[in-house]
Every structure is written in structure tokens, then in C-alpha cells.
Amino acid sequence: MSFKAAGFKHDAQFTRVRLSKGRNLKEHRSDFILCEYQTRPDVDLTEWDIQQVRAVYKRDEWRLQFVCRTTIDPEPPGEEVAGVDLGICNFAAVSFGGKSVLYPGGALKEDEYYFTKKKAKCDDSSSREATRLDWKRTGRRTHFLHALSKAIVEECVERSVGSLVVGNLGGIRENDETGGSRNWGDHGNLDLHGWAFDRFTTLLDYKAEAEGINVELVSERDTSKSCSACGHTDDNQRVERGLYVCEECDTVANADVNGAENIRQKVLPSLATDGGDRDNGWLAQPAVHLFDRSEGVFAPREQVVNREP
């Protein structure tokens, strides 16, 4: 239950809060619920502007959540720039211009297929069981997106990134020629439905802002066709899914990482023209961070595999 400003009164001196029962449940005007609470020693609610109080029943007890407003103006972690390419198989590929990280979306796809099949077995799409499945699928998707955006921002802070450039996928569901919805096939349409890239970008934006990192959306036009090492563009360079080979400079790269680096370079001078030798092995061999279901976080692939029974 949520109580907005008019529904609660906070007494910081005696660490308690008065909650209104609501107009329909009051027997008389002064009828209310008085709750005493305890916080961690490092939390002082007198320093916060409380906007809302939530009463949550969890593990056989009621807990109070105080939603507060604060103003932050953090310093950027550094001046480095990172690029993010969003996709379906790899939900995000991040280029730091010397290292790259892939974040596969396999866990999200598995959930979408599982819950779609389970819901199809329900006799009524509005039944209690169908509603329960929808809530559970939404909760798991939300957690995945939060975990992924948090992991990317933490990686950016560690690498002194002050600017995060993200490929803008606005209009990906629309057909450029007809103006209607684009058909990606049965599996493709299901993947795209669960992709939720717009929501993910929103989560990434506010988490990055809290760390002083600026997020900029740029066009993805030709980023999958151009070589990030030399700039040559050719429709045939993506020889197979996941592999990009440049016929001009012989660069071999992971296709998603190549796209992420092209996105990164949209706000930088082209690194291919700096006149120096540049090791591009990181383009072909990115680190891979998987979603660890047991912990609910992203971790390097070897750590997640080692935790599996």
C-alpha cells in the first residue's frame, strides 16, 4: 500500500509515522495507524525529503519503505567514451575503445518463450493463472534490465567513462517503406516484443546520471556495415551472424562489438585515421558477461559456468 504526502505524517523525533486509513475506512476524523520504525544506523530520515511511504508485507511481517527526493550533482568518473550496440542475441555490446564486453540476452529470451508457452495453455487469457504468469514474466524481465543497466554503469565507472553513446533504435518495429509494423518472423517478433530496448535505455540513462555519466543517443545507420578499424563500408562484410570481416584491411571482429565501436566513434575523431598502429584483437575477442540466475546479477562467463551444478 502506498501513502502519498496527504496520507502520512512523519515524526522524526520519535521515529514513527502516522498513516491514514483512507476516507472509506475511517470511523472518525482522527482515525489513523501509528507505526514505529527502525532504520540502519547510517540512515537519518531527517536529511531526506520524504515523498511517499509504502507498507509492504514480506516474510510474515510489515515493512515500511520511505521514498525520498534528493538532488545529486556527481562528478563524471573520467573523460573516456564508451559505445553501446543493442541487439537480440547479445542484448548489449559495449566498446570501451580497447576492450569490449558482450551481455547476451539468452536468459531474457528463455523467459519469453517459457512464459508464452505456459500462458498458451491457459483456457482464458484473463484468468488468475494467466495474470500470475504475466506478473511473473514482467518481474523477471524488469530485474534483468535493472541488473544489466547496473552492470554496464559499474563497468563504465571502473573504466573512467564520462560519456556513454547508445545506438538509437527508435522505429525498429516500423517498416520504412509501408509505414506499418515490420514483420521479423514468428521467433523474431517474439524476441522483439521482449526486447524492451526503450525501457532499458531509460534505466541506463538514470543509473548513469546518478554516477555523473552523460548518455547520448545516436543513429545506428551503417554502424553494422562499416569497419570500425578503417571505415570501409560494404554490405557484404558481415559474412555470417556474429562475424564481421573487412575486405579492405582484413580486420576480423565480432559483429556486435564492431557496431558498438562505430557508435562510440560517432562522437570521437576516427581512430582509424590517427596514423598509428592499433591492436584490434579486442574487437574479435570480447569478454562475455552472463546473467547468473542464482545471484540475479551479471558476471564473467567463467564465474557463472563454474557456479552451475
Side-chain angles (χ1 to χ4, degrees):
M1 294 181 288
S2 298
F3 301 84
K4 297 184 179 180
F8 71 88
K9 185 174 182 180
H10 182 228
D11 184 351
Q13 181 180 358
F14 297 101
T15 60
R16 60 191 184 186
V17 62
R18 191 177 71 183
L19 305 177
S20 171
K21 286 187 176 181
R23 186 176 303 172
N24 295 334
L25 298 178
K26 282 185 177 182
E27 295 182 2
H28 47 82
R29 186 173 181 180
S30 60
D31 200 4
F32 55 82
I33 303 171
L34 188 62
C35 303
E36 295 183 352
Y37 65 85
Q38 290 182 335
T39 62
R40 299 194 313 266
D42 59 322
V43 175
D44 184 2
L45 286 178
T46 61
E47 300 177 356
W48 295 87
D49 180 12
I50 302 175
Q51 300 291 302
Q52 189 179 114
V53 177
R54 296 173 182 165
V56 180
Y57 189 72
K58 189 174 183 179
R59 296 177 183 174
D60 299 325
E61 67 177 2
W62 284 96
R63 301 181 182 183
L64 293 178
Q65 297 177 349
F66 293 89
V67 181
C68 305
R69 175 186 293 171
T70 186
T71 301
I72 59 173
D73 188 20
E75 291 291 326
E79 298 182 354
E80 299 297 322
V81 179
V84 181
D85 179 76
L86 301 178
I88 295 179
C89 290
N90 290 314
F91 195 103
V94 186
S95 169
F96 297 99
K99 181 181 178 179
S100 53
V101 182
L102 293 180
Y103 296 90
L108 190 62
K109 291 176 65 178
E110 289 171 6
D111 281 350
E112 290 300 317
Y113 288 132
Y114 171 79
F115 285 107
T116 298
K117 289 182 178 179
K118 292 288 286 185
K119 189 174 179 180
K121 295 180 181 179
C122 296
D123 296 332
D124 185 355
S125 60
S126 60
S127 66
R128 178 178 297 180
E129 175 64 12
T131 301
R132 185 190 70 83
L133 290 171
D134 283 338
W135 276 101
K136 191 170 182 179
R137 174 170 59 180
T138 299
R140 291 176 67 147
R141 182 196 301 170
T142 297
H143 180 77
F144 177 93
L145 298 177
H146 273 289
L148 175 56
S149 53
K150 179 181 178 181
I152 292 176
V153 169
E154 288 179 345
E155 193 80 21
C156 288
V157 171
E158 183 178 336
R159 299 185 179 281
S160 302
V161 171
S163 296
L164 193 56
V165 190
V166 183
N168 186 1
L169 294 177
I172 190 67
R173 294 182 175 90
E174 300 174 359
N175 190 309
D176 294 335
E177 297 180 359
T178 66
S181 298
R182 184 178 297 179
N183 185 8
W184 295 86
D186 292 340
H187 287 290
N189 290 333
L190 183 59
D191 289 337
L192 195 58
H193 174 72
W195 202 357
F197 58 83
D198 47 354
R199 187 179 182 192
F200 169 74
T201 303
T202 299
L203 296 176
L204 184 66
D205 185 50
Y206 89 75
K207 283 182 171 62
E209 182 182 4
E211 297 292 344
I213 301 172
N214 178 60
V215 176
E216 181 179 352
L217 295 178
V218 299
S219 171
E220 279 202 335
R221 189 176 185 85
D222 292 335
T223 55
S224 63
K225 302 176 183 179
S226 302
C227 175
S228 60
C230 72
H232 180 67
T233 300
D234 187 340
D235 289 341
N236 298 322
Q237 287 180 297
R238 191 159 178 163
V239 295
E240 62 182 66
R241 188 173 187 85
L243 181 64
Y244 183 94
V245 179
C246 179
E247 298 178 354
E248 187 73 15
C249 68
D250 296 328
T251 291
V252 177
N254 176 282
D256 293 329
V257 172
N258 180 71
E261 176 60 10
N262 277 326
I263 290 171
R264 191 182 82 92
Q265 291 184 24
K266 281 182 175 287
V267 298
L268 292 173
S270 174
L271 299 181
T273 60
D274 60 8
D277 293 333
R278 182 166 172 249
D279 180 13
N280 53 27
W282 59 275
L283 289 169
Q285 296 180 326
V288 179
H289 290 189
L290 300 177
F291 184 67
D292 186 347
R293 291 186 183 276
S294 63
E295 300 291 334
V297 298
F298 277 85
R301 174 164 52 188
E302 57 271 17
Q303 296 181 17
V304 177
V305 171
N306 289 340
R307 276 197 285 261
E308 291 182 354

